[in-house]
Amino acid sequence: MGDAEDLNAASDSVRFWSKVIRGPRPSDCWIWTGAIGDDGYGRYWQHVPGGQRMWRAHRFAVALVFGGGELGEHETVRHESCDVPLCVHVAHGADSHLLLGSVAENNLDRSRAGRHANMYSLRRSGGRRRDQAALSREIRDHLLEHGWDAAFPALLAGYSPDQERLF
Ligand SMILES: [Zn+2]
């Protein structure tokens, strides 16, 4: 409930979307080019009375587009049509790369995919998170330096052009 009131939609919207670069086609990802956390997801600091509130950028995009009230404690946000943590492509309708779901739905997805958390998987995902953060930073830096060029889609797919040259 408080989320909706805290969202100063006009100024946050301008500040947030100024850090996003959209792909050339309507179906492309919209890539966050601001701060990136160790989990590989974007970070957005919203000014709130008395300080700042940290958001994962893709969750903030959902809050901006759908309204903060939709993002209650029990809502999850997941990337549906892409696996790009930096993607903040939120839209009403089929073009959206991000979907809102309940925690229950999210758990169901995890169990279907055999991703029950245990000591082994937690260790493994710890390693994957670090790789993901490095890839996210590489994707952001490439986009800021070169724009959405011919090499960029391969980067997004998780392949580094440098690595491809080795084979
Ligand atoms: Zn996407």
Side-chain angles (χ1 to χ4, degrees), residues 34-67:
I36 293 171
D38 286 340
D39 57 4
Y41 286 86
R43 291 287 187 274
Y44 179 77
W45 282 269
Q46 179 192 18
H47 301 303
V48 294
Q52 299 188 96
R53 176 174 173 191
M54 192 193 79
W55 292 74
R56 281 172 155 190
H58 68 297
R59 290 183 65 86
F60 195 74
V62 169
L64 279 176
V65 173
F66 290 111

PDB file of all heavy atoms in Angstrom, residues 34-67:
ATOM      1  N   GLY A  34      22.274   1.718 -15.544  1.00  0.00           N
ATOM      2  CA  GLY A  34      22.726   2.344 -14.305  1.00  0.00           C
ATOM      3  C   GLY A  34      23.516   1.365 -13.453  1.00  0.00           C
ATOM      4  O   GLY A  34      24.183   0.454 -13.972  1.00  0.00           O
ATOM      5  N   ALA A  35      23.408   1.534 -12.142  1.00  0.00           N
ATOM      6  CA  ALA A  35      24.170   0.694 -11.214  1.00  0.00           C
ATOM      7  C   ALA A  35      23.725  -0.765 -11.307  1.00  0.00           C
ATOM      8  O   ALA A  35      22.569  -1.066 -11.618  1.00  0.00           O
ATOM      9  CB  ALA A  35      23.977   1.198  -9.785  1.00  0.00           C
ATOM     10  N   ILE A  36      24.700  -1.673 -11.036  1.00  0.00           N
ATOM     11  CA  ILE A  36      24.433  -3.114 -11.076  1.00  0.00           C
ATOM     12  C   ILE A  36      24.899  -3.727  -9.762  1.00  0.00           C
ATOM     13  O   ILE A  36      26.008  -3.451  -9.296  1.00  0.00           O
ATOM     14  CB  ILE A  36      25.160  -3.759 -12.273  1.00  0.00           C
ATOM     15  CG1 ILE A  36      24.561  -3.257 -13.593  1.00  0.00           C
ATOM     16  CG2 ILE A  36      25.088  -5.287 -12.188  1.00  0.00           C
ATOM     17  CD1 ILE A  36      25.356  -3.663 -14.825  1.00  0.00           C
ATOM     18  N   GLY A  37      24.086  -4.558  -9.175  1.00  0.00           N
ATOM     19  CA  GLY A  37      24.444  -5.219  -7.924  1.00  0.00           C
ATOM     20  C   GLY A  37      25.199  -6.513  -8.149  1.00  0.00           C
ATOM     21  O   GLY A  37      25.361  -6.974  -9.292  1.00  0.00           O
ATOM     22  N   ASP A  38      25.670  -7.116  -7.063  1.00  0.00           N
ATOM     23  CA  ASP A  38      26.446  -8.346  -7.158  1.00  0.00           C
ATOM     24  C   ASP A  38      25.622  -9.534  -7.656  1.00  0.00           C
ATOM     25  O   ASP A  38      26.171 -10.569  -8.007  1.00  0.00           O
ATOM     26  CB  ASP A  38      27.053  -8.700  -5.791  1.00  0.00           C
ATOM     27  CG  ASP A  38      28.212  -7.775  -5.452  1.00  0.00           C
ATOM     28  OD1 ASP A  38      28.771  -7.155  -6.389  1.00  0.00           O
ATOM     29  OD2 ASP A  38      28.562  -7.668  -4.265  1.00  0.00           O
ATOM     30  N   ASP A  39      24.302  -9.379  -7.665  1.00  0.00           N
ATOM     31  CA  ASP A  39      23.451 -10.444  -8.194  1.00  0.00           C
ATOM     32  C   ASP A  39      23.233 -10.307  -9.700  1.00  0.00           C
ATOM     33  O   ASP A  39      22.538 -11.109 -10.308  1.00  0.00           O
ATOM     34  CB  ASP A  39      22.102 -10.464  -7.468  1.00  0.00           C
ATOM     35  CG  ASP A  39      21.380  -9.112  -7.559  1.00  0.00           C
ATOM     36  OD1 ASP A  39      21.898  -8.205  -8.256  1.00  0.00           O
ATOM     37  OD2 ASP A  39      20.326  -8.967  -6.922  1.00  0.00           O
ATOM     38  N   GLY A  40      23.835  -9.276 -10.310  1.00  0.00           N
ATOM     39  CA  GLY A  40      23.694  -9.091 -11.753  1.00  0.00           C
ATOM     40  C   GLY A  40      22.460  -8.301 -12.159  1.00  0.00           C
ATOM     41  O   GLY A  40      22.253  -8.042 -13.342  1.00  0.00           O
ATOM     42  N   TYR A  41      21.633  -7.935 -11.172  1.00  0.00           N
ATOM     43  CA  TYR A  41      20.435  -7.139 -11.468  1.00  0.00           C
ATOM     44  C   TYR A  41      20.739  -5.659 -11.281  1.00  0.00           C
ATOM     45  O   TYR A  41      21.615  -5.282 -10.506  1.00  0.00           O
ATOM     46  CB  TYR A  41      19.277  -7.548 -10.541  1.00  0.00           C
ATOM     47  CG  TYR A  41      18.668  -8.878 -10.908  1.00  0.00           C
ATOM     48  CD1 TYR A  41      19.210 -10.059 -10.415  1.00  0.00           C
ATOM     49  CD2 TYR A  41      17.561  -8.953 -11.758  1.00  0.00           C
ATOM     50  CE1 TYR A  41      18.661 -11.293 -10.759  1.00  0.00           C
ATOM     51  CE2 TYR A  41      17.009 -10.169 -12.108  1.00  0.00           C
ATOM     52  CZ  TYR A  41      17.561 -11.338 -11.604  1.00  0.00           C
ATOM     53  OH  TYR A  41      17.019 -12.544 -11.956  1.00  0.00           O
ATOM     54  N   GLY A  42      19.984  -4.828 -12.002  1.00  0.00           N
ATOM     55  CA  GLY A  42      20.152  -3.386 -11.875  1.00  0.00           C
ATOM     56  C   GLY A  42      19.721  -2.902 -10.500  1.00  0.00           C
ATOM     57  O   GLY A  42      18.985  -3.580  -9.787  1.00  0.00           O
ATOM     58  N   ARG A  43      20.248  -1.740 -10.150  1.00  0.00           N
ATOM     59  CA  ARG A  43      19.887  -1.108  -8.874  1.00  0.00           C
ATOM     60  C   ARG A  43      19.396   0.312  -9.142  1.00  0.00           C
ATOM     61  O   ARG A  43      20.012   1.049  -9.908  1.00  0.00           O
ATOM     62  CB  ARG A  43      21.109  -1.018  -7.953  1.00  0.00           C
ATOM     63  CG  ARG A  43      21.586  -2.352  -7.433  1.00  0.00           C
ATOM     64  CD  ARG A  43      20.644  -2.907  -6.378  1.00  0.00           C
ATOM     65  NE  ARG A  43      21.189  -4.109  -5.769  1.00  0.00           N
ATOM     66  CZ  ARG A  43      21.037  -5.344  -6.254  1.00  0.00           C
ATOM     67  NH1 ARG A  43      20.341  -5.517  -7.367  1.00  0.00           N
ATOM     68  NH2 ARG A  43      21.565  -6.376  -5.644  1.00  0.00           N
ATOM     69  N   TYR A  44      18.291   0.655  -8.505  1.00  0.00           N
ATOM     70  CA  TYR A  44      17.766   2.013  -8.613  1.00  0.00           C
ATOM     71  C   TYR A  44      17.487   2.529  -7.213  1.00  0.00           C
ATOM     72  O   TYR A  44      16.854   1.838  -6.411  1.00  0.00           O
ATOM     73  CB  TYR A  44      16.476   2.032  -9.448  1.00  0.00           C
ATOM     74  CG  TYR A  44      15.882   3.421  -9.575  1.00  0.00           C
ATOM     75  CD1 TYR A  44      16.419   4.353 -10.450  1.00  0.00           C
ATOM     76  CD2 TYR A  44      14.787   3.801  -8.796  1.00  0.00           C
ATOM     77  CE1 TYR A  44      15.896   5.631 -10.564  1.00  0.00           C
ATOM     78  CE2 TYR A  44      14.245   5.082  -8.898  1.00  0.00           C
ATOM     79  CZ  TYR A  44      14.808   5.986  -9.785  1.00  0.00           C
ATOM     80  OH  TYR A  44      14.283   7.245  -9.886  1.00  0.00           O
ATOM     81  N   TRP A  45      18.003   3.730  -6.930  1.00  0.00           N
ATOM     82  CA  TRP A  45      17.764   4.339  -5.629  1.00  0.00           C
ATOM     83  C   TRP A  45      16.702   5.410  -5.767  1.00  0.00           C
ATOM     84  O   TRP A  45      16.912   6.428  -6.437  1.00  0.00           O
ATOM     85  CB  TRP A  45      19.052   4.911  -5.037  1.00  0.00           C
ATOM     86  CG  TRP A  45      19.914   3.858  -4.454  1.00  0.00           C
ATOM     87  CD1 TRP A  45      19.894   3.410  -3.156  1.00  0.00           C
ATOM     88  CD2 TRP A  45      20.932   3.087  -5.121  1.00  0.00           C
ATOM     89  NE1 TRP A  45      20.833   2.396  -2.995  1.00  0.00           N
ATOM     90  CE2 TRP A  45      21.481   2.195  -4.171  1.00  0.00           C
ATOM     91  CE3 TRP A  45      21.426   3.070  -6.440  1.00  0.00           C
ATOM     92  CZ2 TRP A  45      22.498   1.290  -4.496  1.00  0.00           C
ATOM     93  CZ3 TRP A  45      22.423   2.170  -6.763  1.00  0.00           C
ATOM     94  CH2 TRP A  45      22.953   1.301  -5.803  1.00  0.00           C
ATOM     95  N   GLN A  46      15.577   5.134  -5.158  1.00  0.00           N
ATOM     96  CA  GLN A  46      14.461   6.069  -5.187  1.00  0.00           C
ATOM     97  C   GLN A  46      14.587   7.017  -4.001  1.00  0.00           C
ATOM     98  O   GLN A  46      14.848   6.574  -2.874  1.00  0.00           O
ATOM     99  CB  GLN A  46      13.152   5.274  -5.073  1.00  0.00           C
ATOM    100  CG  GLN A  46      11.912   6.134  -5.073  1.00  0.00           C
ATOM    101  CD  GLN A  46      10.678   5.334  -4.667  1.00  0.00           C
ATOM    102  OE1 GLN A  46      10.791   4.258  -4.082  1.00  0.00           O
ATOM    103  NE2 GLN A  46       9.514   5.870  -4.966  1.00  0.00           N
ATOM    104  N   HIS A  47      14.429   8.320  -4.265  1.00  0.00           N
ATOM    105  CA  HIS A  47      14.426   9.282  -3.164  1.00  0.00           C
ATOM    106  C   HIS A  47      13.091   9.190  -2.446  1.00  0.00           C
ATOM    107  O   HIS A  47      12.044   9.346  -3.062  1.00  0.00           O
ATOM    108  CB  HIS A  47      14.640  10.704  -3.697  1.00  0.00           C
ATOM    109  CG  HIS A  47      15.926  10.869  -4.434  1.00  0.00           C
ATOM    110  ND1 HIS A  47      17.148  10.592  -3.873  1.00  0.00           N
ATOM    111  CD2 HIS A  47      16.199  11.259  -5.707  1.00  0.00           C
ATOM    112  CE1 HIS A  47      18.107  10.818  -4.755  1.00  0.00           C
ATOM    113  NE2 HIS A  47      17.556  11.206  -5.887  1.00  0.00           N
ATOM    114  N   VAL A  48      13.140   8.926  -1.171  1.00  0.00           N
ATOM    115  CA  VAL A  48      11.910   8.888  -0.368  1.00  0.00           C
ATOM    116  C   VAL A  48      12.121   9.824   0.820  1.00  0.00           C
ATOM    117  O   VAL A  48      13.270  10.155   1.155  1.00  0.00           O
ATOM    118  CB  VAL A  48      11.596   7.449   0.126  1.00  0.00           C
ATOM    119  CG1 VAL A  48      11.270   6.537  -1.047  1.00  0.00           C
ATOM    120  CG2 VAL A  48      12.757   6.879   0.935  1.00  0.00           C
ATOM    121  N   PRO A  49      11.039  10.259   1.451  1.00  0.00           N
ATOM    122  CA  PRO A  49      11.209  11.162   2.594  1.00  0.00           C
ATOM    123  C   PRO A  49      12.170  10.568   3.621  1.00  0.00           C
ATOM    124  O   PRO A  49      12.008   9.424   4.032  1.00  0.00           O
ATOM    125  CB  PRO A  49       9.784  11.271   3.156  1.00  0.00           C
ATOM    126  CG  PRO A  49       8.900  11.004   1.969  1.00  0.00           C
ATOM    127  CD  PRO A  49       9.648   9.989   1.138  1.00  0.00           C
ATOM    128  N   GLY A  50      13.211  11.298   3.958  1.00  0.00           N
ATOM    129  CA  GLY A  50      14.148  10.842   4.977  1.00  0.00           C
ATOM    130  C   GLY A  50      15.260   9.964   4.461  1.00  0.00           C
ATOM    131  O   GLY A  50      16.038   9.431   5.248  1.00  0.00           O
ATOM    132  N   GLY A  51      15.357   9.761   3.141  1.00  0.00           N
ATOM    133  CA  GLY A  51      16.463   8.940   2.659  1.00  0.00           C
ATOM    134  C   GLY A  51      16.220   8.367   1.284  1.00  0.00           C
ATOM    135  O   GLY A  51      15.580   8.984   0.442  1.00  0.00           O
ATOM    136  N   GLN A  52      16.759   7.175   1.071  1.00  0.00           N
ATOM    137  CA  GLN A  52      16.630   6.527  -0.223  1.00  0.00           C
ATOM    138  C   GLN A  52      16.147   5.099  -0.019  1.00  0.00           C
ATOM    139  O   GLN A  52      16.416   4.485   0.994  1.00  0.00           O
ATOM    140  CB  GLN A  52      17.983   6.475  -0.935  1.00  0.00           C
ATOM    141  CG  GLN A  52      18.588   7.827  -1.212  1.00  0.00           C
ATOM    142  CD  GLN A  52      19.825   7.674  -2.081  1.00  0.00           C
ATOM    143  OE1 GLN A  52      19.764   7.799  -3.290  1.00  0.00           O
ATOM    144  NE2 GLN A  52      20.952   7.393  -1.465  1.00  0.00           N
ATOM    145  N   ARG A  53      15.456   4.602  -1.028  1.00  0.00           N
ATOM    146  CA  ARG A  53      15.054   3.207  -0.999  1.00  0.00           C
ATOM    147  C   ARG A  53      15.675   2.508  -2.194  1.00  0.00           C
ATOM    148  O   ARG A  53      15.563   2.970  -3.323  1.00  0.00           O
ATOM    149  CB  ARG A  53      13.525   3.092  -1.067  1.00  0.00           C
ATOM    150  CG  ARG A  53      13.069   1.659  -1.128  1.00  0.00           C
ATOM    151  CD  ARG A  53      11.568   1.529  -1.051  1.00  0.00           C
ATOM    152  NE  ARG A  53      11.203   0.140  -1.277  1.00  0.00           N
ATOM    153  CZ  ARG A  53       9.968  -0.299  -1.483  1.00  0.00           C
ATOM    154  NH1 ARG A  53       8.971   0.558  -1.472  1.00  0.00           N
ATOM    155  NH2 ARG A  53       9.724  -1.570  -1.695  1.00  0.00           N
ATOM    156  N   MET A  54      16.340   1.372  -1.932  1.00  0.00           N
ATOM    157  CA  MET A  54      16.985   0.641  -3.016  1.00  0.00           C
ATOM    158  C   MET A  54      16.020  -0.357  -3.630  1.00  0.00           C
ATOM    159  O   MET A  54      15.375  -1.116  -2.933  1.00  0.00           O
ATOM    160  CB  MET A  54      18.225  -0.087  -2.513  1.00  0.00           C
ATOM    161  CG  MET A  54      19.068  -0.621  -3.669  1.00  0.00           C
ATOM    162  SD  MET A  54      20.333  -1.788  -3.107  1.00  0.00           S
ATOM    163  CE  MET A  54      19.348  -3.271  -2.909  1.00  0.00           C
ATOM    164  N   TRP A  55      15.956  -0.350  -4.948  1.00  0.00           N
ATOM    165  CA  TRP A  55      15.125  -1.304  -5.686  1.00  0.00           C
ATOM    166  C   TRP A  55      16.015  -2.078  -6.652  1.00  0.00           C
ATOM    167  O   TRP A  55      17.002  -1.546  -7.163  1.00  0.00           O
ATOM    168  CB  TRP A  55      14.099  -0.573  -6.541  1.00  0.00           C
ATOM    169  CG  TRP A  55      13.013   0.162  -5.842  1.00  0.00           C
ATOM    170  CD1 TRP A  55      13.125   1.350  -5.175  1.00  0.00           C
ATOM    171  CD2 TRP A  55      11.638  -0.209  -5.786  1.00  0.00           C
ATOM    172  NE1 TRP A  55      11.892   1.724  -4.708  1.00  0.00           N
ATOM    173  CE2 TRP A  55      10.969   0.795  -5.063  1.00  0.00           C
ATOM    174  CE3 TRP A  55      10.909  -1.311  -6.289  1.00  0.00           C
ATOM    175  CZ2 TRP A  55       9.584   0.743  -4.825  1.00  0.00           C
ATOM    176  CZ3 TRP A  55       9.546  -1.351  -6.052  1.00  0.00           C
ATOM    177  CH2 TRP A  55       8.893  -0.339  -5.320  1.00  0.00           C
ATOM    178  N   ARG A  56      15.619  -3.305  -6.952  1.00  0.00           N
ATOM    179  CA  ARG A  56      16.142  -3.933  -8.155  1.00  0.00           C
ATOM    180  C   ARG A  56      15.450  -3.223  -9.322  1.00  0.00           C
ATOM    181  O   ARG A  56      14.235  -3.016  -9.292  1.00  0.00           O
ATOM    182  CB  ARG A  56      15.798  -5.414  -8.173  1.00  0.00           C
ATOM    183  CG  ARG A  56      16.720  -6.253  -7.293  1.00  0.00           C
ATOM    184  CD  ARG A  56      16.204  -7.646  -7.224  1.00  0.00           C
ATOM    185  NE  ARG A  56      17.267  -8.598  -6.932  1.00  0.00           N
ATOM    186  CZ  ARG A  56      17.112  -9.908  -7.013  1.00  0.00           C
ATOM    187  NH1 ARG A  56      15.949 -10.416  -7.362  1.00  0.00           N
ATOM    188  NH2 ARG A  56      18.105 -10.716  -6.732  1.00  0.00           N
ATOM    189  N   ALA A  57      16.229  -2.875 -10.336  1.00  0.00           N
ATOM    190  CA  ALA A  57      15.693  -2.017 -11.401  1.00  0.00           C
ATOM    191  C   ALA A  57      14.478  -2.641 -12.086  1.00  0.00           C
ATOM    192  O   ALA A  57      13.515  -1.937 -12.406  1.00  0.00           O
ATOM    193  CB  ALA A  57      16.794  -1.714 -12.427  1.00  0.00           C
ATOM    194  N   HIS A  58      14.502  -3.962 -12.314  1.00  0.00           N
ATOM    195  CA  HIS A  58      13.369  -4.561 -13.037  1.00  0.00           C
ATOM    196  C   HIS A  58      12.095  -4.500 -12.202  1.00  0.00           C
ATOM    197  O   HIS A  58      11.003  -4.353 -12.720  1.00  0.00           O
ATOM    198  CB  HIS A  58      13.684  -5.995 -13.491  1.00  0.00           C
ATOM    199  CG  HIS A  58      13.830  -6.995 -12.390  1.00  0.00           C
ATOM    200  ND1 HIS A  58      14.826  -6.915 -11.440  1.00  0.00           N
ATOM    201  CD2 HIS A  58      13.099  -8.092 -12.078  1.00  0.00           C
ATOM    202  CE1 HIS A  58      14.707  -7.943 -10.605  1.00  0.00           C
ATOM    203  NE2 HIS A  58      13.666  -8.654 -10.967  1.00  0.00           N
ATOM    204  N   ARG A  59      12.242  -4.577 -10.882  1.00  0.00           N
ATOM    205  CA  ARG A  59      11.064  -4.457 -10.019  1.00  0.00           C
ATOM    206  C   ARG A  59      10.547  -3.016 -10.008  1.00  0.00           C
ATOM    207  O   ARG A  59       9.342  -2.789  -9.978  1.00  0.00           O
ATOM    208  CB  ARG A  59      11.390  -4.913  -8.595  1.00  0.00           C
ATOM    209  CG  ARG A  59      11.610  -6.413  -8.469  1.00  0.00           C
ATOM    210  CD  ARG A  59      11.859  -6.805  -7.015  1.00  0.00           C
ATOM    211  NE  ARG A  59      10.708  -6.577  -6.168  1.00  0.00           N
ATOM    212  CZ  ARG A  59       9.710  -7.451  -6.005  1.00  0.00           C
ATOM    213  NH1 ARG A  59       9.726  -8.604  -6.626  1.00  0.00           N
ATOM    214  NH2 ARG A  59       8.693  -7.171  -5.218  1.00  0.00           N
ATOM    215  N   PHE A  60      11.471  -2.067 -10.052  1.00  0.00           N
ATOM    216  CA  PHE A  60      11.027  -0.679 -10.064  1.00  0.00           C
ATOM    217  C   PHE A  60      10.295  -0.366 -11.372  1.00  0.00           C
ATOM    218  O   PHE A  60       9.317   0.384 -11.384  1.00  0.00           O
ATOM    219  CB  PHE A  60      12.200   0.284  -9.858  1.00  0.00           C
ATOM    220  CG  PHE A  60      11.744   1.673  -9.519  1.00  0.00           C
ATOM    221  CD1 PHE A  60      11.240   1.953  -8.263  1.00  0.00           C
ATOM    222  CD2 PHE A  60      11.776   2.679 -10.464  1.00  0.00           C
ATOM    223  CE1 PHE A  60      10.767   3.222  -7.945  1.00  0.00           C
ATOM    224  CE2 PHE A  60      11.311   3.956 -10.159  1.00  0.00           C
ATOM    225  CZ  PHE A  60      10.816   4.223  -8.891  1.00  0.00           C
ATOM    226  N   ALA A  61      10.773  -0.946 -12.484  1.00  0.00           N
ATOM    227  CA  ALA A  61      10.097  -0.751 -13.767  1.00  0.00           C
ATOM    228  C   ALA A  61       8.652  -1.242 -13.677  1.00  0.00           C
ATOM    229  O   ALA A  61       7.725  -0.585 -14.155  1.00  0.00           O
ATOM    230  CB  ALA A  61      10.848  -1.489 -14.873  1.00  0.00           C
ATOM    231  N   VAL A  62       8.474  -2.389 -13.051  1.00  0.00           N
ATOM    232  CA  VAL A  62       7.115  -2.925 -12.891  1.00  0.00           C
ATOM    233  C   VAL A  62       6.272  -1.990 -12.031  1.00  0.00           C
ATOM    234  O   VAL A  62       5.110  -1.709 -12.333  1.00  0.00           O
ATOM    235  CB  VAL A  62       7.163  -4.347 -12.277  1.00  0.00           C
ATOM    236  CG1 VAL A  62       5.775  -4.802 -11.849  1.00  0.00           C
ATOM    237  CG2 VAL A  62       7.754  -5.326 -13.279  1.00  0.00           C
ATOM    238  N   ALA A  63       6.889  -1.468 -10.957  1.00  0.00           N
ATOM    239  CA  ALA A  63       6.159  -0.552 -10.080  1.00  0.00           C
ATOM    240  C   ALA A  63       5.752   0.716 -10.829  1.00  0.00           C
ATOM    241  O   ALA A  63       4.642   1.227 -10.648  1.00  0.00           O
ATOM    242  CB  ALA A  63       7.013  -0.201  -8.856  1.00  0.00           C
ATOM    243  N   LEU A  64       6.633   1.199 -11.697  1.00  0.00           N
ATOM    244  CA  LEU A  64       6.317   2.409 -12.466  1.00  0.00           C
ATOM    245  C   LEU A  64       5.178   2.160 -13.460  1.00  0.00           C
ATOM    246  O   LEU A  64       4.282   2.984 -13.613  1.00  0.00           O
ATOM    247  CB  LEU A  64       7.554   2.890 -13.243  1.00  0.00           C
ATOM    248  CG  LEU A  64       8.593   3.709 -12.488  1.00  0.00           C
ATOM    249  CD1 LEU A  64       9.778   3.998 -13.396  1.00  0.00           C
ATOM    250  CD2 LEU A  64       8.003   5.009 -11.954  1.00  0.00           C
ATOM    251  N   VAL A  65       5.243   1.016 -14.137  1.00  0.00           N
ATOM    252  CA  VAL A  65       4.285   0.772 -15.216  1.00  0.00           C
ATOM    253  C   VAL A  65       2.938   0.287 -14.684  1.00  0.00           C
ATOM    254  O   VAL A  65       1.879   0.725 -15.125  1.00  0.00           O
ATOM    255  CB  VAL A  65       4.864  -0.242 -16.235  1.00  0.00           C
ATOM    256  CG1 VAL A  65       3.815  -0.631 -17.274  1.00  0.00           C
ATOM    257  CG2 VAL A  65       6.083   0.354 -16.929  1.00  0.00           C
ATOM    258  N   PHE A  66       2.992  -0.614 -13.706  1.00  0.00           N
ATOM    259  CA  PHE A  66       1.741  -1.192 -13.205  1.00  0.00           C
ATOM    260  C   PHE A  66       1.234  -0.498 -11.944  1.00  0.00           C
ATOM    261  O   PHE A  66       0.134  -0.763 -11.493  1.00  0.00           O
ATOM    262  CB  PHE A  66       1.908  -2.686 -12.927  1.00  0.00           C
ATOM    263  CG  PHE A  66       2.065  -3.517 -14.165  1.00  0.00           C
ATOM    264  CD1 PHE A  66       3.263  -4.128 -14.455  1.00  0.00           C
ATOM    265  CD2 PHE A  66       1.015  -3.666 -15.058  1.00  0.00           C
ATOM    266  CE1 PHE A  66       3.411  -4.899 -15.604  1.00  0.00           C
ATOM    267  CE2 PHE A  66       1.158  -4.424 -16.205  1.00  0.00           C
ATOM    268  CZ  PHE A  66       2.357  -5.044 -16.482  1.00  0.00           C
ATOM    269  N   GLY A  67       2.077   0.346 -11.346  1.00  0.00           N
ATOM    270  CA  GLY A  67       1.694   0.990 -10.088  1.00  0.00           C
ATOM    271  C   GLY A  67       2.288   0.231  -8.920  1.00  0.00           C
ATOM    272  O   GLY A  67       2.288  -1.001  -8.895  1.00  0.00           O
TER     273      GLY A  67
END
